[in-house]
Amino acid sequence: MVEIGRITGIWRYPVKSMAGHRVSTAEVGELGVHADRTWAVRDLEKAATTSAKRLAGLLLCTARYVGPPPPEAGPGHAPEVIIEFPDGTEISSSDPQVHAALSSYLDRDVELRPLPPIEDRDQYRGTMATASDIHSYFGLDRDEPLPDLSMFPVKKLAELSRYITPVGSYVDAYPIHVITEQTLQTMAGLAPGSDFDVRRFRPTILVDAVDSGDSPETDWCGGTLIAPDAELRPLLPTVRCVMPSHAQYELARDRQITRTLAAHSRHCLGVYGTVARPGRLREGDPIRFRPADHSLIATTAGAGAARVKRLLMKAGTAAISRGVQFSRR
């Protein structure tokens, strides 16, 4: 194993689609960073959890916990959170007026909802998106092709066609999101007038990689990132929706962000992943890399199955383009 970089940033997002806060250390487990996204805004008309893909104004709000999240924070146990609106006014999740305040700000009938218990699966379901919705999510015109989603496992595509978010979480697809400073620098070089601020892309961790390549994290997919007290497993590139281009807390709207990603990286920036070994991540932690262990026999035996899998993934992508709900960060 070789050292491939160091963690230079860690983020927690108390409320889905609102600005989060940077932390120096974080416990990580099966659901990702402890107490990440324990609240979300629910669209009452659609009877579903919503995000900044539909209500971009959420990105201009900030959220912070009143105190350190307790060990039980998670599904069914959402700690009190303070929401700050763009005009500086604040309101607590414990205030009965929080729903009216959010509805007035967003000009939409909404409620602030805690992360439901895992067994309450119906609360994770939502309404089907239209083809127009999906093109809008990715900032595309109706006649433009959707991004290639065939790298997603069939099981994940099936899950996200049934639920707005994975059961037990308010993340969009996977609990961990890794970005390198090198990738942000590469994209900034392709669009000198744009600010590829890491906060636009809402990662779990930012890594300063030893590799000076254009996008080092994509080479980590399938392997394991090993910190001193936790391990992460990068799985696949993060396909970006239009959200990074929206105006956000302290960041102006910039449509060129989405256009640059579409033109130069097939809409991707960063990688999604899971937690391979629960533990603690710290800013400054060195990261080592262990490649995937594929034997020649396993690779040969799995070749036929892999071809079938790719076909099924493409079928899933086609289904999404016909209107199946698929959620992004």
Side-chain angles (χ1 to χ4, degrees):
M1 293 183 291
V2 296
E3 186 173 316
I4 50 84
R6 288 184 174 270
I7 296 176
T8 53
I10 306 171
W11 283 266
R12 176 188 285 123
Y13 307 91
V15 180
K16 182 176 179 65
S17 286
M18 293 187 185
H21 55 91
R22 193 166 178 169
V23 295
S24 58
T25 66
E27 297 291 330
V28 292
E30 181 182 356
L31 298 178
V33 169
H34 177 61
D36 188 48
R37 296 172 174 86
T38 62
W39 294 90
V41 171
R42 188 172 181 85
D43 187 318
L44 296 183
E45 179 182 338
K46 295 183 177 295
T49 298
T50 192
S51 72
K53 288 182 288 296
R54 289 184 180 273
L55 301 174
L58 289 170
L59 290 169
L60 295 172
C61 298
T62 65
R64 68 181 189 278
Y65 289 118
V66 172
E72 66 272 17
H77 301 279
E80 182 182 359
V81 71
I82 300 295
I83 293 171
E84 181 177 337
F85 293 99
D87 65 0
T89 60
E90 295 184 343
I91 193 165
S92 167
S93 57
S94 64
D95 188 328
Q97 296 302 311
V98 68
H99 313 300
L102 282 167
S103 296
S104 176
Y105 166 67
L106 295 168
D107 195 24
R108 184 85 178 175
D109 196 10
V110 300
E111 286 185 355
L112 183 68
R113 290 285 186 90
L115 185 63
I118 291 177
E119 58 271 18
D120 193 0
R121 302 177 78 87
D122 284 346
Q123 291 298 312
Y124 292 92
R125 298 182 188 274
T127 55
M128 182 180 292
T130 66
S132 177
D133 287 337
I134 295 171
H135 276 80
S136 178
Y137 295 163
F138 290 106
L140 300 170
D141 293 331
R142 289 185 63 87
D143 58 346
E144 291 183 281
L146 288 169
D148 179 15
L149 304 177
S150 63
M151 77 282 282
F152 277 81
V154 174
K155 183 177 180 180
K156 179 59 68 174
L157 290 173
E159 178 185 31
L160 295 178
S161 69
R162 177 177 293 184
Y163 302 104
I164 291 288
T165 64
V167 174
S169 175
Y170 275 149
V171 300
D172 287 333
Y174 289 95
I176 295 295
H177 182 212
V178 180
I179 293 177
T180 63
E181 295 184 7
Q182 286 66 31
T183 291
L184 295 173
Q185 292 165 6
T186 296
M187 289 298 144
L190 294 168
S194 294
D195 182 6
F196 276 79
D197 190 297
V198 64
R199 293 173 296 172
R200 289 189 183 275
F201 304 96
R202 305 173 65 80
T204 305
I205 63 170
L206 177 68
V207 175
D208 182 10
V210 173
D211 185 349
S212 59
D214 292 344
S215 184
E217 62 268 44
T218 58
D219 294 332
W220 302 338
C221 290
T224 304
L225 300 180
I226 302 172
D229 296 315
E231 297 180 10
L232 309 178
R233 183 167 292 125
L235 297 175
L236 70 167
T238 304
V239 183
R240 312 306 313 203
C241 66
V242 73
M243 279 176 56
S245 289
H246 287 324
Q248 301 186 31
Y249 177 70
E250 297 184 340
L251 298 170
R253 185 182 184 188
D254 185 353
R255 293 182 178 178
Q256 194 60 33
I257 298 287
T258 298
R259 292 169 180 160
T260 301
L261 297 180
H264 298 284
S265 64
R266 302 176 67 185
H267 295 272
C268 295
L269 189 148
V271 294
Y272 275 140
T274 58
V275 175
R277 177 169 63 92
R280 173 168 290 194
L281 297 175
R282 301 175 182 82
E283 197 168 287
D285 271 354
I287 298 291
R288 294 177 295 153
F289 178 66
R290 182 172 62 230
D293 182 15
H294 295 305
S295 70
L296 179 60
I297 294 176
T299 302
T300 303
R307 285 194 292 271
V308 173
K309 185 176 181 181
R310 283 195 296 271
L311 290 173
L312 288 171
M313 288 178 182
K314 290 179 180 178
T317 303
I320 290 170
S321 69
R322 291 194 299 270
V324 176
Q325 170 68 44
F326 190 79
S327 188
R328 290 275 175 228
R329 272 185 196 273

